[in-house]
Every structure is written in C-alpha cells, then in structure tokens.
Amino acid sequence: MSIDVTSEATHAALLALAAQTRELMDAVLATGADDDELAAVTEELRALTARLDAARRPPVEFGEPRWLLGNAAVGAANPFAPPVEVEYPPGGGVRAEQVFRPLHEGPPGLVHGGVSAMVLDHLLGTAVGVAGRVGLTASLTMSYRAPVPLGVLVVATAEYTRSEGRKSWAEGRIALPDGTVLVEATGLFITPGWLPQEA
Ligand SMILES: CC(C)(COP(=O)(O)OP(=O)(O)OC[C@H]1O[C@@H](n2cnc3c(N)ncnc32)[C@H](O)[C@@H]1OP(=O)(O)O)[C@@H](O)C(=O)NCCC(=O)NCCSC(=O)Cc1ccccc1
C-alpha cells in the first residue's frame, strides 16, 4: 500500500513534514547542545528516519499530478527547497518572494551563490514555459552584484526574452523590495531534440 500524493490531506501532511524538517535543519545548524544531547538527538533521528523509510512511495514521473513535489527549488515536500512559491503576474513573467534561511547559507549570514542560481534557474525556466516554450537549461550566466542576506525578504523575477528555433532566452534577478538588484541571471533554454517539435 502507498499513499496518494494527490489527496489534499496527504499533500498537506507531506508539506507539514517538510516544513518541520526545515526547522530541524536550521536547528541542527545553530544548536549549542552538549555532546551527550547531540548523540541522543542523533539516535532519535535515526529512529525517525527508519520509520519514514519503512513505507516508501514510488517516484513521480514527469508531468504526473504533483510532479514537482520533490523539486529542489519549488518542491514544498522537499526540505532542501526554500521552497520558491512562483507567482504569475498579469503583466507577464514570473515572480517569487523569498526569505532565505540558515540552511541556505554560503558566507556567514549570506545566501550561497549556488542557491541564488538554483532559484533563478528555476524562475527563468518557468518564464520560458509561461511563454509557451519547453526548454531545459543549457547555460546560465550569473552576475552577483551584492550579497543576498539571510532572513530578509527579497523578490525574484524573471521573464522570457526571445527564441530562435529550439533555443529560448530568459533573464531574471533577485532584488531587495526597494528594487536594489543583488543578483542577475541570463539563461539559454533548449527544447530537447528528442521532444516532438512544433510544425
Ligand atoms: C537539451 C539540451 C540542453 C540540448 O541538447 P540537444 O537538443 O541534443 O541539442 P543539440 O546538440 O541538438 O544542439 C541544438 C543547438 O543548441 C546548442 N547547444 C546545445 N547545448 C548547448 C549548451 N550547453 N550551451 C549553448 N548552446 C548549446 C547547439 O550548439 C545547437 O545550436 P545550433 O542549432 O547549431 O545553433 C541537452 O544538452 C540537455 O538535455 N542538457 C541537460 C539539460 C539539463 O539537465 N538542465 C537542467 C535541468 S532544467 C532545470 O533545472 C531548470 C528548469 C526549471 C523549470 C523549467 C525549465 C528548466
């Protein structure tokens, strides 16, 4: 027997588990508990891990309902995901508000550059998708203009810019709410040759 991830109740339970696991990860990063307490908590976590592992569900396939549940950027059931919550403004493109947390740390107090790249990669790719194109990231160019702080609201936006054949381009940025740009990205997204092409 396996759970039905399309059920609202199960979906909500998975999201709650992932959210609590993010809290745990932040606590692991910051704990000042003594060695005995660390060992005791590690044992409890080992037991919890075994409980979850005892009932595994089959992996979701591309395009199935809830197929992004485990996505590293937007998968709300993935404790590693910020998670990015993508908005679709009526004017076009995509947008996401984000407060990065300790588990996204690069330099102390600041967001890891790879995490910023992951978020923008996903948003640029989604902007290409919103424009009606299907593309996987072929290249992503980052420009880090100022550090992204942890624990502070930032706004990520992206938009599709153009296409030539199977190639599409998009650009995006992470900025402070006052518009100060911290990170910029441009990306090339290619419709894989193995996908049926439009006439
Ligand atoms: C599909 C493709 C990128 C290209 O393969 P094919 O179709 O076999 O390409 P083909 O060889 O037929 O060349 C066609 C044209 O393209 C050009 N060109 C090719 N490559 C590059 C390049 N690297 N850089 C620059 N140009 C390149 C090539 O020169 C040629 O140009 P031409 O026509 O002569 O002027 C393949 O390499 C692949 O699967 N890579 C892994 C992708 C992947 O895993 N990405 C991460 C997962 S997605 C994600 O996480 C984010 C996301 C979230 C949400 C939504 C969306 C995204």
Side-chain angles (χ1 to χ4, degrees):
M1 195 186 105
S2 184
I3 58 170
D4 173 11
V5 295
T6 64
S7 132
E8 288 302 326
T10 299
H11 187 240
L14 281 172
L15 302 197
L17 177 63
Q20 188 55 50
T21 308
R22 283 184 205 105
E23 300 280 336
L24 171 69
M25 291 159 87
D26 284 343
V28 168
L29 284 166
T31 185
D34 64 32
D35 295 355
D36 288 344
E37 180 68 350
L38 293 180
V41 171
T42 301
E43 268 317 302
E44 284 192 43
L45 286 177
R46 208 185 309 281
L48 291 175
T49 305
R51 274 173 70 183
L52 290 174
D53 252 352
R56 286 180 163 253
R57 63 181 190 274
V60 285
E61 300 293 332
F62 185 86
E64 278 182 5
R66 310 266 196 225
W67 67 290
L68 289 174
L69 209 53
N71 185 282
V74 292
N78 183 340
F80 175 74
V84 178
E85 292 182 19
V86 184
E87 302 164 24
Y88 302 90
V94 293
R95 180 182 190 278
E97 293 190 351
Q98 198 67 53
V99 177
F100 290 102
R101 51 198 306 156
L103 65 91
H104 304 128
E105 184 169 272
L110 305 175
V111 176
H112 195 292
V115 171
S116 298
M118 177 184 75
V119 168
L120 285 172
D121 182 22
H122 192 88
L123 288 181
L124 268 62
T126 304
V128 168
V130 166
R133 311 282 304 188
V134 178
L136 296 181
T137 318
S139 76
L140 188 70
T141 303
M142 304 298 300
S143 183
Y144 295 91
R145 305 222 170 265
V148 180
L150 295 172
V152 168
L153 178 73
V154 292
V155 182
T157 49
E159 54 281 335
Y160 161 84
T161 51
R162 67 192 172 94
S163 291
E164 285 172 24
R166 290 196 281 127
K167 298 177 183 174
S168 297
W169 284 263
E171 59 188 31
R173 73 241 18 108
I174 297 174
L176 293 173
D178 69 3
T180 305
V181 174
L182 307 175
V183 184
E184 293 171 311
T186 56
L188 165 64
F189 296 80
I190 299 180
T191 308
W194 46 263
L195 264 190
Q197 306 299 302
E198 291 171 26

